[in-house]
Each structure stands twice: as C-alpha cells, then as structure tokens.
C-alpha cells in the first residue's frame, strides 16, 4: 500500500485594491487639492564629492475657495 501526498493547493492571488481601478487625472487632482498636499524633498547635484547645486523643496498645495481664502488676497474686486 502506497500513500501519495495530497497535492499542495496553490495560493490564490490576492487582488490589489487599486489594480483594476482606473481614475482620471482630473479626479485625482481634485481629491488631492480638496484635502491638500505637502511636498518635501532635497536634490543635490554632486560631481567628484563637490556639491554644485542643492535644491530644498517644501511646498503646501491646496485649493482656495470662499471658505479658505487666498493668503495673498489684495482686497481688490
């Protein structure tokens, strides 16, 4: 009498939540600007251990409307 091992079940692939979802760029920007986006980064251009250009970026990007006025409001209009 021989005992054959049972075949190992192959794991089913786990679907990624955003894998099949398509979204328009306009909708993505609308959602990001509605809540606001903070960008931060550093870029250094270096040749032979000599820093030639260094850029530090810190930005807050958000939409402006009646509830959230522009910080540069000049009172014109």
């Amino acid at each position: 009498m021989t005992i054959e091992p049972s075949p190992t079940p192959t794991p089913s692939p786990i679907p990624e939540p955003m894998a099949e979802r398509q979204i328009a760029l306009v909708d993505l920007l609308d959602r990001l600007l509605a809540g606001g986006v903070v960008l931060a980064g550093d870029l250094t251009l270096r040749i032979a251990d000599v820093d030639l250009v260094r850029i530090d970026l810190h930005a807050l990007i958000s939409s402006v409307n009646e509830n959230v006025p522009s910080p540069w409001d000049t009172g014109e209009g």
Side-chain angles (χ1 to χ4, degrees), residues 4-76:
E4 296 180 16
S6 61
T8 55
T10 57
S12 62
I14 299 172
E16 295 181 26
M18 299 296 285
E20 297 295 323
R21 187 173 178 186
Q22 294 183 359
I23 186 167
L25 182 60
V26 170
D27 293 334
L28 179 63
L29 286 175
D30 184 50
R31 290 182 187 181
L32 289 176
L33 291 176
V37 178
V38 176
L39 299 175
D42 300 322
L43 176 70
T44 304
L45 178 60
R46 175 183 289 184
I47 297 177
D49 288 333
V50 177
D51 291 347
L52 299 177
V53 176
R54 179 176 176 152
I55 299 173
D56 294 329
L57 172 68
H58 301 279
L60 170 64
I61 301 173
S62 179
S63 62
V64 176
N65 58 30
E66 298 85 23
N67 297 332
V68 182
S70 170
W72 300 283
D73 189 16
T74 59
E76 296 175 10

